[in-house]
Amino acid sequence: MKSVFVDTNVLIYPLQTDDPTKAAIATAWIERLAAREALVVSPQIINEFVSVLTRRYAFLPLLDVLEKARDYSEFCRARMDSDTTRAAIDLLLLHRFSWWDSVMLASALDFGCEILLTEDLQNGQSVDGMLIVDPFTADIDTVLRDI
């Protein structure tokens, strides 16, 4: 079974009310990936999720944010350790991604994800065989056909 690493922003959109279109699209991705047991995140993603929703977008009660983080932690299967850090350094030097994007990519690649779902990197780009997919421009049915 293929696995799809999901970036923090995709997990946050369903909780925002300022862009209902993106919220609906992100929700569809999350629900369909979870139903296929293909959704993967790392500790970094859960940590960013809590940080963003308690600092930048503090529109939800803290207990609601933590409950949702606990729900998403079910999909926290990619690791983040010293090997991830070393791989992230290599990715940063080779591709010039930001540090946090490099850490995310290293976790996803280490887990063996075939797809990284994010709007923050170039849609269609391949990084060490993993395809970058922008969930808000890609057709969900086409991408999920083989998952």
Side-chain angles (χ1 to χ4, degrees):
M1 176 187 328
K2 291 189 177 184
S3 53
V4 178
F5 194 97
V6 177
D7 194 359
T8 310
N9 55 13
V10 180
L11 300 180
I12 290 173
Y13 273 115
L15 305 175
Q16 295 180 344
T17 57
D18 58 335
D19 193 335
T21 301
K22 282 191 173 182
I25 292 168
T27 299
W29 277 102
I30 292 165
E31 289 175 353
R32 291 179 69 181
L33 289 171
R36 289 171 170 75
E37 298 181 1
L39 197 156
V40 176
V41 297
S42 69
Q44 172 193 358
I45 301 304
I46 301 298
N47 293 334
E48 288 178 356
F49 177 85
V50 172
S51 177
V52 168
L53 288 175
T54 57
R55 298 181 76 197
R56 188 181 316 161
Y57 299 114
F59 58 85
L60 290 175
L62 177 61
L63 291 178
D64 291 350
V65 171
L66 298 177
E67 180 181 338
K68 199 66 177 166
R70 185 166 300 168
D71 292 344
Y72 285 145
S73 70
E74 170 187 346
F75 307 106
C76 191
R77 300 183 286 153
R79 67 184 181 150
M80 190 173 129
D81 58 17
S82 58
D83 290 336
T84 311
T85 301
R86 285 188 284 278
I89 290 168
D90 292 341
L91 286 165
L92 188 146
L93 290 171
L94 183 62
H95 298 286
R96 299 293 182 200
F97 294 117
S98 75
W99 173 247
W100 293 114
D101 286 342
S102 296
V103 173
M104 175 180 62
L105 286 159
S107 290
L109 288 165
D110 177 68
F111 188 80
C113 292
E114 291 85 2
I115 295 171
L116 170 62
L117 200 63
T118 182
E119 67 176 345
D120 293 339
L121 299 173
Q122 184 180 343
N123 185 52
Q125 180 179 9
S126 180
V127 178
D128 293 351
M130 182 175 57
L131 180 65
I132 308 300
V133 173
D134 182 338
F136 306 110
T137 61
D139 178 65
I140 190 171
D141 293 318
T142 302
V143 174
L144 296 183
R145 183 177 20 239
D146 298 324
I147 295 179

